[in-house]
Amino acid sequence: MKHIFIMLAWLSPVLSLHGQTKSVELEGYDRMRYSKEEITVAPGTSVELTMKTISDIPKSQMAHNWVLLKKDTDVDAFVNLCDQYKDNDYIAPALTSKILAHTGMLGGGEQETITFKAPSEPGRYTYVCTFPGHYMAGMKGTLIVQE
Ligand code: CU
């Protein structure tokens, strides 16, 4: 009996981490796609997401970010306005309230790790790249929040 308690005490930090933190590795490609077009997490999960751009093209011509949007967002309008804010990494300051989490704009070989809390409300949340033309070409995906 004593041995069982020792085992549980040793395992408990591992078990709680497993339930609350999820690591996600994501890549962005020249063909304007993410390596994952669906990411599934439990509500309220702490997500540690690493985004990396794979490219040999200069950053001014090919870069990617990862922008997770609130459910009610008009995605086309969001991306269209972001197009105009090159100096702000293609994030429209007027629309930051629509963003749940995002990385910076990453050129070839660059990567960034961000940590955010997944929404507590189950559902489908769109993520996009706001580099001009990329979303329209298909650089998007869905964060699926479910139990
Ligand atoms: Cu992109």
Side-chain angles (χ1 to χ4, degrees):
M1 201 58 182
K2 192 180 169 192
H3 288 289
I4 293 169
F5 282 121
I6 291 166
M7 270 295 279
L8 286 174
W10 181 76
L11 273 173
S12 61
V14 180
L15 292 172
S16 64
L17 250 186
H18 180 74
Q20 289 165 15
T21 302
K22 181 178 171 108
S23 292
V24 178
E25 308 251 311
L26 201 58
E27 291 178 342
Y29 304 123
D30 289 350
R31 63 178 191 273
M32 293 169 279
R33 288 293 186 282
Y34 292 111
S35 56
K36 293 184 174 85
E37 292 178 349
E38 283 188 356
I39 299 167
T40 303
V41 297
T45 305
S46 173
V47 181
E48 188 184 78
L49 180 137
T50 299
M51 168 72 195
K52 183 176 186 180
T53 294
I54 310 295
S55 182
D56 293 325
I57 301 171
K59 186 174 181 177
S60 60
Q61 294 164 42
M62 180 61 66
H64 306 297
N65 61 3
W66 184 87
V67 183
L68 179 65
L69 297 170
K70 285 186 183 168
K71 250 194 218 168
D72 63 348
T73 306
D74 179 337
V75 182
D76 287 5
F78 177 86
V79 172
N80 282 338
L81 192 61
C82 285
D83 260 13
Q84 301 170 26
Y85 290 91
K86 182 172 193 282
D87 293 341
N88 197 43
D89 276 357
Y90 296 109
I91 297 289
L95 296 180
T96 53
S97 65
K98 301 293 184 189
I99 298 173
L100 292 170
H102 74 98
T103 69
M105 194 55 81
L106 304 166
E110 293 181 334
Q111 68 174 58
E112 184 182 347
T113 300
I114 58 168
T115 303
F116 64 96
K117 205 168 162 65
S120 54
E121 188 186 339
R124 298 171 67 86
Y125 297 77
T126 299
Y127 56 83
V128 297
C129 173
T130 62
F131 195 93
H134 287 199
Y135 164 71
M136 291 304 179
M139 194 154 191
K140 60 187 172 177
T142 307
L143 181 80
I144 300 168
V145 178
Q146 63 182 30
E147 291 292 354

